[in-house]
Amino acid sequence: MTSTRRQAVLTAVAIALGAAGVHAQTTWPTKPVRIVVPFAAGGTTDLLARAMAPELQKAFGQPFVVDNKPGAGGNNGANEVAKAPPDGLTLLMGTVGTHAINAALYPKMPFDHVKDFVPVTLVAGVPNVMVVNPAMAQKYGIKSVADFVKAAKANPGKFNMASSGNGTSIHLSGELFKSMTGTFMLHIPYRGSGPALIDLMGGSMDVMFDNLPSALPHIKSGKLMALGVTSAKRSSALPDIPTIEEAGGPALKGYEATSWFGLVAPAGTPMDIVNRIQQEATKAMATPALKDRLQSQGAIPSGITSAEFAKFIAAETTKWAKVVKASGAKVD
């Protein structure tokens, strides 16, 4: 074979291989993609996943199906994704609980939140909001955070504090509040915000430090009373509601506990798939319709890269380990 012919053959092979690679990249996904939500339907994790799913479906031409797998403060669903094939067909809507808090709160974890996952992108950050049952608030004359602290101290052990599960930011926000104010409320963990909110509105629960997006409709309808947001600044979604630090007096100076939610995939998922999901998710969050929708619910859209999200998770893990230690929180 002449050198000219040999070169022509090699060039043809290279082109064919390149085309095959491009074809493999552009045809993913060839099946529906599952987004596992590690909490029950109705909470903020679920709301954000369901907001993102149709946008990703439009971008990739395959269904993105939300699959709720609640339990163990998010650990059940997260563990299922950690053990899933790294083919890009299974994603997790991870949270500050599954990917920062739980590592410090649980004595034994079924997965390693760093080694068993590859970060895709941070979807949004949200403040939590301290909400109470209106009938309970009326009974005890509660109109502010300071009033609640006074009532809790006068009635130790009488208030039930709902959460979306052990180790969630909702749980830890309440534990931090308890430790800073010297109050006691019995913690009742649920399998997600949805069922916890139902019982809070029904009166069997008294207080909850819920993620703002899932509590907001019930605050606006009057079914829940908001006392304060857990962020350092007021939320644009509830501009008339003070921060807990503002409304709580000296004991709550420096109080802050916010939540975040982001897409992660099983470790070993090809980075070209990870990067494509991140890019399309970021594009979707930049569209006026989705951006306005998220912001109106109190969420702050993100869209950072996989590498940036990895650094963020590392910093949050360190931060929340300190909060867990300071609050004395334990898995119930």
Side-chain angles (χ1 to χ4, degrees):
M1 182 184 292
T2 65
S3 59
T4 302
R5 186 179 177 188
R6 182 182 298 109
Q7 183 61 44
V9 170
L10 291 174
T11 300
V13 170
I15 292 173
L17 290 173
V22 170
H23 180 71
Q25 184 184 57
T26 56
T27 55
W28 177 91
T30 57
K31 298 178 181 179
V33 177
R34 188 166 60 116
I35 302 178
V36 173
V37 169
F39 298 99
T44 298
T45 318
D46 183 67
L47 294 175
L48 289 175
R50 293 183 189 279
M52 291 302 305
E55 301 299 324
L56 294 173
Q57 180 169 323
K58 283 190 290 186
F60 293 108
Q62 283 284 349
F64 276 67
V65 182
V66 175
D67 187 8
N68 297 88
K69 297 287 184 178
N75 283 350
N76 287 353
N79 187 49
E80 183 172 320
V81 176
K83 306 298 190 291
D87 53 12
L89 297 178
T90 305
L91 305 173
L92 173 74
M93 184 61 80
T95 70
V96 63
T98 61
H99 280 72
I101 296 172
N102 289 2
L105 191 69
Y106 284 78
K108 186 176 181 181
M109 289 285 287
F111 58 86
D112 186 310
H113 73 285
V114 175
K115 293 180 180 179
D116 292 340
F117 296 92
V118 56
V120 179
T121 190
L122 177 65
V123 173
V126 302
N128 291 347
V129 58
M130 183 181 182
V131 284
V132 296
N133 177 279
M136 181 278 293
Q138 184 176 18
K139 177 181 177 180
Y140 290 98
I142 296 172
K143 296 181 180 179
S144 67
V145 174
D147 288 342
F148 183 91
V149 172
K150 183 178 179 181
K153 286 185 174 181
N155 300 275
K158 288 190 177 182
F159 293 161
N160 292 326
M161 181 183 78
S163 84
S164 57
N166 285 314
T168 61
S169 72
I170 296 170
H171 173 202
L172 263 291
S173 294
E175 293 293 345
L176 184 61
F177 182 93
K178 287 161 62 176
S179 69
M180 292 179 73
T181 57
T183 55
F184 174 76
M185 294 94 77
L186 179 63
H187 173 225
I188 308 295
Y190 286 74
R191 292 167 68 87
S193 282
L197 286 169
I198 290 172
D199 280 1
L200 181 61
M201 290 183 284
S204 58
M205 292 292 111
D206 301 302
V207 61
M208 185 174 175
F209 293 76
D210 192 35
N211 302 142
L212 181 53
S214 49
L216 190 58
H218 308 301
I219 295 169
K220 290 184 174 181
S221 71
K223 294 179 180 178
L224 293 176
M225 178 188 292
L227 298 183
V229 292
T230 65
S231 48
K233 297 180 180 179
R234 294 192 183 199
S235 169
S236 59
L238 286 175
D240 296 331
I241 301 300
T243 67
I244 287 178
E245 181 182 24
E246 279 183 86
L252 287 162
K253 182 175 177 57
Y255 179 96
E256 182 182 4
T258 55
S259 299
W260 52 262
F261 309 83
L263 290 169
V264 297
T269 300
M271 285 308 298
D272 64 320
I273 294 176
V274 169
N275 292 334
R276 288 176 64 203
I277 297 171
Q278 182 269 326
Q279 290 162 8
E280 293 299 338
T282 302
K283 287 180 186 177
M285 286 184 281
T287 60
L290 186 56
K291 184 178 181 180
D292 291 347
R293 177 181 172 186
L294 295 178
Q295 290 179 335
S296 69
Q297 295 176 338
I300 303 170
S302 181
I304 56 178
T305 67
S306 174
E308 290 168 334
F309 193 18
K311 291 180 180 178
F312 177 82
I313 289 172
E316 285 288 290
T317 299
T318 300
K319 169 189 168 181
W320 282 99
K322 294 177 181 177
V323 174
V324 169
K325 183 177 180 180
S327 69
K330 303 291 183 183
V331 174
D332 294 340

